[in-house]
Amino acid sequence: MQTTTYTVTGMTCDHCVGAVSGELRRLDGVRDVRVDLATSAVTVTSEGPLDDRAVRAAVDEAGYAVAG
Amino acid sequence: MQTTTYTVTGMTCDHCVGAVSGELRRLDGVRDVRVDLATSAVTVTSEGPLDDRAVRAAVDEAGYAVAG
């Protein structure tokens, strides 16, 4: 297991948190997603290394963006 | 037909708009709901006079509040 933390911009409310979490949970190997709305931090727990492009695509699909 | 405009606090994004609109559209006699997120104005078009308590309850159900 490993955890990776991303900064996701544009999230303003719990619906946004749900949308981002929902898309990320669908990725292969993802076991848990935690979002701190106050800091825009999204922490993903996965079985192995995450495909950065897949993470960015999932966040984009939800309507948000990974910073950096 | 008549239109009534409410100020709804707490809406921050399109998901919030959708949640409030969805609940209000379920009310008897409601034909249309328009939300201006920038001004927090929610304009409801209805067949007749709206039950103010029902409107407030619907907004509350969505997780927001009618101001005033």
Side-chain angles (χ1 to χ4, degrees):
Chain A
M1 286 292 178
Q2 71 177 56
T3 62
T4 315
T5 299
Y6 302 87
T7 300
V8 174
T9 58
M11 298 184 297
T12 56
C13 75
D14 285 345
H15 296 120
C16 300
V17 170
V20 170
S21 300
E23 287 295 334
L24 289 173
R25 285 176 200 277
R26 295 172 60 185
L27 295 179
D28 277 351
V30 168
R31 289 297 180 191
D32 193 36
V33 179
R34 304 278 164 171
V35 179
D36 183 334
L37 191 52
T39 62
S40 302
V42 176
T43 302
V44 181
T45 303
S46 54
E47 294 172 0
L50 288 166
D51 178 342
D52 192 61
R53 282 177 303 180
V55 168
R56 288 172 181 272
V59 171
D60 181 72
E61 180 67 25
Y64 305 88
V66 174
Chain B
M1 287 292 178
Q2 73 176 55
T3 63
T4 314
T5 300
Y6 302 87
T7 299
V8 174
T9 59
M11 299 184 298
T12 56
C13 74
D14 286 345
H15 296 120
C16 300
V17 170
V20 170
S21 300
E23 287 295 334
L24 288 173
R25 285 176 199 277
R26 295 172 60 186
L27 295 180
D28 278 350
V30 168
R31 290 296 179 192
D32 192 36
V33 179
R34 303 279 164 170
V35 179
D36 184 334
L37 190 53
T39 61
S40 302
V42 176
T43 301
V44 182
T45 302
S46 56
E47 294 172 359
L50 288 166
D51 178 342
D52 192 61
R53 283 177 303 180
V55 168
R56 287 171 181 274
V59 171
D60 181 73
E61 181 66 26
Y64 305 87
V66 175

